[in-house]
Amino acid sequence: ARLHDDADLLGRTSVVPTRFGDAQLPDRAAAVIAIGVLGHLDAAERVKLWHYVATSLRPGAPAEIGLVAPRRPTTIPGVRVGEQRVGQHLVEGWSSTVPLDERSIAWTQRFRIADANGLTLREASATVAWRCDGIDDLRAEIAPHGLALTEHDGCVVVRRREG
């Protein structure tokens, strides 16, 4: 969504509507940005990501990875995560989670559109499996690929190890 606000970046960035495992990636990249994505990737896609970062980014180039809470499976009852008035309507976003196993949750996102009187006009929801990752989990996962991370503003920056 932020690409739309930067005409230069918008003209140089591709968003491909496919799963990461099926994406045709360029041979070289200046950076990788994966905000709110890592938990969606299966084991094979995660290996593909770390291999790509290790082999396709120049030394020192960043891969910015957003780690989304929760870092461990937990039950989160429906909580409103955002609301926005659009004309006479209120658009709300709700989120809830239920643990699936020791590393994953079922994450449900629900969206509601209400009229000026609060009457629900439309609702939609989607539930996905999400792998919960903490900093130490990620550090252990990337190490075999010759990568290291630093924490930065709620994200981690992954780069090839020096030397």
Side-chain angles (χ1 to χ4, degrees):
R2 292 185 181 160
L3 290 174
H4 187 270
D5 295 333
D6 185 324
D8 179 55
L9 190 57
L10 182 61
R12 297 182 295 121
T13 303
S14 295
V15 176
V16 182
T18 186
R19 286 197 56 87
F20 181 77
D22 298 329
Q24 297 298 312
L25 303 173
D27 291 338
R28 293 275 176 231
V32 170
I33 300 171
I35 306 300
V37 171
L38 192 61
H40 287 293
L41 303 182
D42 65 27
E45 290 171 319
R46 290 167 81 104
V47 168
K48 180 179 179 178
L49 172 63
W50 304 132
H51 177 75
Y52 186 76
V53 169
T55 62
S56 299
L57 294 182
R58 63 177 164 65
E64 186 167 341
I65 311 297
L67 295 181
V68 177
R71 303 292 163 83
R72 287 288 175 258
T74 187
T75 298
I76 300 174
V79 60
R80 185 168 35 193
V81 294
E83 69 177 29
Q84 180 68 50
R85 287 228 167 259
V86 179
Q88 296 180 5
H89 297 121
L90 176 66
V91 180
E92 298 175 323
W94 294 78
S95 185
S96 61
T97 68
V98 176
L100 293 174
D101 57 34
E102 68 281 350
R103 289 296 301 273
S104 301
I105 56 175
W107 193 343
T108 299
Q109 300 290 322
R110 185 171 59 88
F111 303 92
R112 179 174 96 91
I113 301 173
D115 67 13
N117 297 316
L119 178 67
T120 298
L121 300 174
R122 185 168 186 179
E123 279 188 296
S125 67
T127 301
V128 298
W130 180 268
R131 180 173 156 177
C132 301
D133 290 296
I135 298 290
D136 291 337
D137 300 320
L138 189 54
R139 188 174 280 121
E141 183 177 335
I142 66 174
H145 298 274
L147 301 169
L149 65 80
T150 55
E151 296 180 57
H152 180 72
D153 279 348
C155 293
V156 295
V157 177
V158 176
R159 292 185 170 94
R160 284 194 229 171
R161 276 193 226 118
E162 301 277 330

